[in-house]
Amino acid sequence: MHGLNGLKYISTIVAVAMRTSNDFHKGIVWKILAASSSSIATIVNTYWDIVIDWGLLRRNSRNPWLRDKLSVPYKSVYFLAMVLNVILRLAWMQSVLGIKEAPFLHRTALTAIVACLEILRRGIWNFFRLENEHLNNVGKYRAFKSVPLPFNYQVDDDDEESIDT
């Protein structure tokens, strides 16, 4: 599993390297390499987010295409989060495709909007990732309501008598 996670990060590094090369060496070949590597990285990272980190898209669960245990009572929230994750992941592809400026937005404003959308996506990712981790820990009895302290608060009555005498 750690090897697959490493491959996910390598695909992202390759995509960033190809996009950087595309910026330095203008040409159709570099643009195709940048777009294809970025598309592969987007697909792999989106799959990893939804299936591995969130534990969703389980065909045989009690909640079809979700997971057995859910914290949010409305199943539509999970489906909405999956769709939003895909859309918000695609927002940064505008830089790969060469859309530097929209007719009604300045380039800096477009960069700020894309950055804000990425912050929103990571916040949503964080919520569902932590929820999945918590449910997995509770399900495997690794979570506790309280943790015993390493020292003892109880005072023995025998010790107090020996001090007084």
Side-chain angles (χ1 to χ4, degrees):
M1 193 57 108
H2 295 296
L4 293 174
N5 194 19
L7 287 174
K8 176 188 79 157
Y9 284 108
I10 288 172
S11 72
T12 303
I13 291 169
V14 168
V16 170
M18 290 298 131
R19 288 197 320 263
T20 303
S21 295
N22 180 42
D23 288 342
F24 288 127
H25 310 286
K26 298 294 181 187
I28 190 71
V29 173
W30 287 109
K31 189 163 205 81
I32 291 170
L33 287 172
S36 60
S37 63
S38 295
S39 298
I40 290 169
T42 299
I43 291 167
V44 169
N45 288 327
T46 302
Y47 175 83
W48 191 273
D49 283 356
I50 294 171
V51 175
I52 306 299
D53 286 344
W54 295 358
L56 300 175
L57 292 180
R58 306 283 185 224
R59 269 189 260 181
N60 299 324
S61 76
R62 279 185 269 151
N63 304 304
W65 297 107
L66 299 175
R67 62 176 114 80
D68 286 337
K69 294 181 181 179
L70 303 172
S71 294
V72 179
Y74 305 105
K75 295 176 187 174
S76 60
V77 170
Y78 294 93
F79 291 111
L80 179 65
M82 285 189 271
V83 170
L84 271 175
N85 189 31
V86 171
I87 292 170
L88 293 175
R89 264 210 186 269
L90 291 175
W92 67 271
M93 283 290 283
Q94 55 82 25
S95 65
V96 175
L97 299 174
I99 304 169
K100 302 288 185 199
E101 197 171 314
F104 53 90
L105 283 176
H106 189 270
R107 188 181 85 218
T108 307
L110 186 62
T111 302
I113 290 170
V114 170
C116 289
L117 291 174
E118 179 62 13
I119 291 168
L120 176 66
R121 187 197 68 78
R122 287 178 186 230
I124 293 169
W125 176 87
N126 229 352
F127 175 82
F128 290 103
R129 173 69 176 106
L130 289 175
E131 177 201 35
N132 186 43
E133 187 67 22
H134 174 71
L135 292 173
N136 285 335
N137 286 339
V138 168
K140 294 176 182 166
Y141 304 105
R142 293 185 299 208
F144 298 96
K145 286 185 178 179
S146 64
V147 177
L149 297 173
F151 44 84
N152 189 357
Y153 276 122
Q154 296 176 346
V155 177
D156 293 337
D157 291 338
D158 295 338
D159 290 342
E160 286 180 10
E161 290 176 10
S162 63
I163 295 173
D164 291 339
T165 55

